[in-house]
Amino acid sequence: MNEAQHHDLEEVLHLSPKQVSTGLALFYVCYVIFGFPSNLIMTRLSPRVWMSRIVIGVGIIGSCMAAMKAAWSLYLLRLLLGIVIAGMWPGMAYYLTLFYPPSRTGKRIGQYFTASQVSAVVVGLVSAGFQKMDGLGGLVGFQWMFLIYGLVGILCGISLLWWLPDRPLPPGEVRTRNGLLKWLPQSKPALTGEDAVIHYHDLTRIYHRQRWGVKDLLRVLIDWRLWPLLLMYFGAVGVGVGVQNYASVIIQATNSRLTSIDLSLLTAPIWIMDLIAILLVTPFSDRFHHHRALFFSVPVCIQIAGLLVTTYGGSEANPWPRYGGLLMVGFGLGPTIPITTTWTNEVFQPRHGEVGVAAASALVSGLGNLGSILTTYALFTGWLADSHPGRKQYRKSTLVMVGILSLSILSAFVMTLLLRFVDNGKSAKQISSGSSTIDGEGIIMDGAAKRELQERGFGRMWWQRRRR
């Protein structure tokens, strides 16, 4: 931002490209470490209050980033940001299982995840406006951006105390308010009347949860199903964060004539494509939830094709095909992380209950974000071999991303084969409600999922229905 005026982050804070990469990566180090305990705490406390705490903390740290003066302040605030926001994404994945059967959360998690795409679009558009504010009140453009976003985050976090519903209670039961909860506002229940009664009978597990202990947690930690899901997430989030952090850098490498405002505006369509893919694909991944690997792998293949076009397509005279490759990457990114998170819920909830969802989603998200550390610290401006300008400047970095995406595809199909031929539902012992059943492939379905299958024929591809 405001590079022409020498008011961009690197020049104001006197940073080298390596220091910027380090600052970006430090966030993910704390995110990996603190996401797991954050999710476990959330299962014991009020989800509403915990999510509000996260958003308020992010707003406070974001506002403080407007006061950064040197590399040490960037490092410190990025570390603190990783600590306070850890657990937000896996926490929301767990939170949604309190209201929906795990097999039906793909669409909902996808809808929630669209906030990431909308924010990326907004950042690209409004950063152009913030650059116009450069120098106003003695602040440069990126300082205005951090300050305003931080204040909005604080106000949003406080509003969640009134807006976000807590975990549902059995019909007629009144929530006990002890300790700090006595002094906090009480939100309205998400379900009332007949809806609350239906939900109570369909998802009994929510209302009769068992207290978990260390042994329950250890069973989750040694479950082999974590590793394929973690590798899927590693590739998907690594490429996603790499593109998010370096989109403008990649675009500039394809067309050096673009201004900083042009770069800000051109990043927005990437995330619009991402948003479109989420809304298109995630509902089908729920409908045919036995084929999560397919709905994950096809978008990943689109990402790989897009990365190759971005690296090798176009010409000096016409760089726009390379930008089109980035749009393909954005489209392919969309459904991958929501589908991986949904599959984690679907696999671990019937086997380990709430602690399974909370712990597994945090581990998959947290350790999977090691891919983010790779792409933000080791690749692009952090990789000296890719620092020399030229038409194929970031060729090696994009080829590494192609490699980790290929690993994700392989992991998805290994997970499918192991579930079908090795596991086959033998370890799925928890029945979610009185109306739950075990389907023909050993997958336990809540009452709501069972009803959808009976009434609408969800779950099978056309060739499977014909065979039956």
Side-chain angles (χ1 to χ4, degrees), residues 100-114:
Y100 303 101
S103 62
R104 308 254 62 85
T105 56
K107 175 182 176 181
R108 282 81 184 187
I109 288 176
Q111 289 173 338
Y112 165 72
F113 194 58
T114 58

Side-chain angles (χ1 to χ4, degrees), residues 170-337:
E173 185 175 320
V174 178
R175 194 177 307 278
T176 303
R177 306 182 71 199
N178 299 319
L180 181 63
L181 293 179
K182 290 182 178 180
W183 305 99
L184 296 176
Q186 190 169 2
S187 62
K188 295 181 179 180
L191 302 167
T192 57
E194 186 179 355
D195 289 338
V197 175
I198 292 173
H199 190 270
Y200 175 74
H201 289 295
D202 272 350
L203 275 78
T204 304
R205 62 178 169 84
I206 301 301
Y207 303 90
H208 301 286
R209 55 175 174 158
Q210 295 179 339
R211 303 290 286 182
W212 55 267
V214 176
K215 289 184 178 179
D216 302 300
L217 189 57
L218 288 175
R219 291 190 190 99
V220 180
L221 295 177
I222 63 175
D223 195 320
W224 61 265
R225 301 166 194 84
L226 274 173
W227 299 104
L229 292 165
L230 194 156
L231 291 174
M232 289 169 58
Y233 199 96
F234 178 90
V237 78
V239 174
V241 171
V243 173
Q244 186 172 17
N245 286 336
Y246 293 112
S248 60
V249 173
I250 298 170
I251 295 170
Q252 189 173 43
T254 66
N255 189 349
S256 59
R257 296 184 296 274
L258 298 172
T259 66
S260 59
I261 292 180
D262 291 335
L263 296 174
S264 295
L265 295 175
L266 285 171
T267 58
I270 299 172
W271 306 111
I272 293 174
M273 296 296 291
D274 196 307
L275 174 63
I276 292 171
I278 291 175
L279 298 178
L280 285 177
V281 177
T282 53
F284 286 101
S285 74
D286 272 356
R287 175 164 184 164
F288 304 105
H289 62 95
H290 295 274
H291 304 279
R292 299 281 188 200
L294 180 64
F295 287 100
F296 174 86
S297 299
V298 171
V300 173
C301 289
I302 295 174
Q303 289 180 63
I304 291 174
L307 287 170
L308 294 176
V309 170
T310 300
T311 305
Y312 297 103
S315 62
E316 293 289 348
N318 183 20
W320 292 110
R322 301 176 69 186
Y323 176 71
L326 276 179
L327 297 182
M328 292 173 62
V329 174
F331 186 88
L333 280 171
T336 53
I337 294 175

Side-chain angles (χ1 to χ4, degrees), residues 205 350 428-438 444-446:
R205 62 178 169 84
K429 297 177 181 178
Q430 290 197 9
I431 301 294
S432 299
S433 71
S435 57
S436 296
T437 60
I438 301 179
I444 295 180
M445 294 185 295
D446 289 282

